[in-house]
Amino acid sequence: MDDQQDQAVYSNGDGDYSRSMNANARISNGHPSYPYSSYGTAGSEQFSCYYCERNLSGSRYILKDEHPYCIKCYEDRFANTCEECRRKIGTDSKDLSYKDRHWHEKCFFCSMCKTPLIDKPFGCKNDQLYCGECYNQQFASRCDKCNQIFKPGTKKLEYRGQQFHEHCFTCYTCSQPIGTKSFIPKDQKSYCVPCYEENFATKCTRCLKVIAQGGVTYKNQPWHRECFTCTNCKNSLAGQRFTSREDHPYCADCFARIYAKKCFSCSKPITGIGGTRYISFEDRHWHNDCFVCQRCRSSLVGRGFLTDGPDILCPDCGRREQYYPTENSAYNSGQRSIVSDYPKTN
């Protein structure tokens, strides 16, 4: 089977937005390290704002770096600016902070649906705040089959740049979830192994089972190596020389025993193995090497010859034996060697 089996892999299973959705804003009064206080008099010295020198006697003030500031000067110089309304977050307001950004309590809401986000999970994208639902709809990754989002805790299968819910990654034929089992892709579709084998795999001509690897081809048909056997003795022919008759393969021994012509000289089968040509005259046949003059043993292949009963003789030996044309019409075409082609051995 040429097609390679693949496997899809699981992602971390957290869902795309779960890490960004665990953000929580820190809520404070904005200035935990700078307490309010009231002050009457401090000896005979006037107690005044470090910046505007306003007398702070009997007034609220805030210490910063051991210097007192009136409320106005402190808010103007040190209070955080709200990301939403761009106003100062006063000392009497709650300051919600997230990643060095600050909001009034009333300004801390989803940029799409305006739902307040205090004490709720939220996501941040492109400097905008989103509640969980809006973040999912806008930015969460989606299954390439059903186009639904991956919720937190949902397993996600990834394959060739695409991602799927576990129950969406299925065999194209039987629609059963593949999960992390082996599968085979074909024409941009995924098939479980049983369905692929049933529909596309190469099958043996004899046993009709899938040829998973190896195999042999004969007459453009596939076979398991163990199924490609001699028609007569059933021994495997894989890697062996064989001969066919009427499209049926035979090992050399069986073919010679059942079908091969016998050499008139040596009486052994003429199988074609080691050469594909043999000599035939009338009803007699010879191996090329056996077709020789009975007197001088010279080869008669491609030469004229004479016959003396069962013997064949070269012209020279025939003349020495004083054969006459009345006995054997010397050298006519019917007495010349006939060279025939034997069926090729595979």
Side-chain angles (χ1 to χ4, degrees):
M1 188 186 303
D2 293 331
D3 299 83
Q4 183 177 2
Q5 296 184 6
D6 273 323
Q7 284 190 332
V9 297
Y10 280 105
S11 69
N12 57 22
D14 291 333
D16 281 346
Y17 61 83
S18 60
R19 289 186 295 275
S20 61
M21 291 302 300
N22 62 8
N24 287 310
R26 184 171 63 86
I27 305 176
S28 70
N29 61 8
H31 318 281
S33 59
Y34 313 126
Y36 300 106
S37 182
S38 355
Y39 190 81
T41 59
S44 59
E45 294 182 6
Q46 178 177 325
F47 188 71
S48 60
C49 173
Y50 182 75
Y51 184 72
C52 69
E53 299 183 353
R54 173 189 168 190
N55 187 357
L56 297 178
S57 298
S59 302
R60 293 168 52 200
Y61 66 92
I62 297 176
L63 286 175
K64 181 173 176 60
D65 299 331
E66 298 184 357
H67 297 298
Y69 291 87
C70 66
I71 301 300
K72 183 178 184 306
C73 288
Y74 180 87
E75 291 180 349
D76 288 344
R77 293 178 62 82
F78 304 112
N80 297 312
T81 300
C82 176
E83 292 286 333
E84 178 65 27
C85 68
R86 309 310 302 173
R87 296 177 182 176
K88 293 287 186 179
I89 302 175
T91 56
D92 294 329
S93 301
K94 288 185 178 180
D95 185 327
L96 282 79
S97 62
Y98 173 67
K99 291 186 176 180
D100 297 327
R101 301 168 67 203
H102 301 266
W103 292 264
H104 290 103
E105 183 178 16
K106 65 180 180 179
C107 294
F108 194 66
F109 50 75
C110 172
S111 60
M112 288 188 66
C113 67
K114 310 305 180 185
T115 298
L117 299 177
I118 297 175
D119 297 327
K120 294 181 180 179
F122 62 91
C124 184
K125 187 82 169 180
N126 301 326
D127 293 333
Q128 295 294 314
L129 300 177
Y130 298 89
C131 65
E133 184 175 352
C134 291
Y135 187 96
N136 291 341
Q137 294 301 321
Q138 287 292 108
F139 307 111
S141 60
R142 297 176 179 271
C143 173
D144 284 291
K145 184 173 184 179
C146 70
N147 201 39
Q148 298 301 309
I149 64 170
F150 294 98
K151 295 181 179 180
T154 301
K155 286 185 177 181
K156 178 170 59 176
L157 283 165
E158 296 180 351
Y159 176 66
R160 290 187 177 178
Q162 293 184 308
Q163 47 195 4
F164 306 87
H165 290 108
E166 189 174 22
H167 60 273
C168 289
F169 190 61
T170 60
C171 170
Y172 180 78
T173 298
C174 68
S175 301
Q176 293 300 309
I178 293 174
T180 55
K181 295 183 293 186
S182 296
F183 67 95
I184 301 173
K186 183 177 176 61
D187 300 331
Q188 306 301 315
K189 300 178 179 66
S190 299
Y191 298 86
C192 66
V193 174
C195 286
Y196 181 89
E197 291 180 347
E198 178 65 27
N199 290 282
F200 306 109
T202 302
K203 296 178 182 178
C204 176
T205 302
R206 171 167 291 176
C207 69
L208 302 181
K209 294 181 180 179
V210 173
I211 301 176
Q213 59 183 1
V216 297
T217 300
Y218 174 64
K219 300 289 185 181
N220 295 321
Q221 292 181 321
W223 306 68
H224 287 114
R225 293 177 64 87
E226 59 272 18
C227 290
F228 187 61
T229 60
C230 172
T231 304
N232 183 60
C233 68
K234 307 305 180 185
N235 289 329
S236 176
L237 297 177
Q240 305 296 321
R241 301 184 70 179
F242 64 93
T243 301
S244 62
R245 185 179 180 87
E246 296 178 354
D247 290 337
H248 296 297
Y250 293 86
C251 67
D253 291 341
C254 288
F255 186 88
R257 186 169 57 253
I258 299 173
Y259 299 109
K261 297 175 174 63
K262 302 297 189 295
C263 177
F264 185 79
S265 178
C266 69
S267 299
K268 293 180 180 180
I270 302 175
T271 63
I273 295 176
T276 60
R277 299 174 71 83
Y278 66 97
I279 310 301
S280 179
F281 175 68
E282 295 180 344
D283 293 328
R284 292 182 292 174
H285 311 281
W286 293 265
H287 293 108
N288 269 16
D289 293 341
C290 294
F291 192 60
V292 296
C293 175
Q294 293 298 109
R295 300 288 187 272
C296 67
R297 311 305 296 176
S298 62
S299 175
L300 297 177
V301 176
R303 299 172 58 189
F305 61 91
L306 301 171
T307 60
D308 180 16
D311 297 334
I312 54 173
L313 304 173
C314 68
D316 292 339
C317 289
R319 281 192 293 271
R320 282 196 295 271
E321 294 292 335
Q322 296 182 352
Y323 285 94
Y324 296 101
T326 56
E327 298 174 356
N328 209 322
S329 16
Y331 315 127
N332 63 30
S333 61
Q335 291 172 312
R336 291 186 179 275
S337 60
I338 302 172
V339 181
S340 302
D341 285 319
Y342 195 85
K344 287 187 178 180
T345 300
N346 294 292

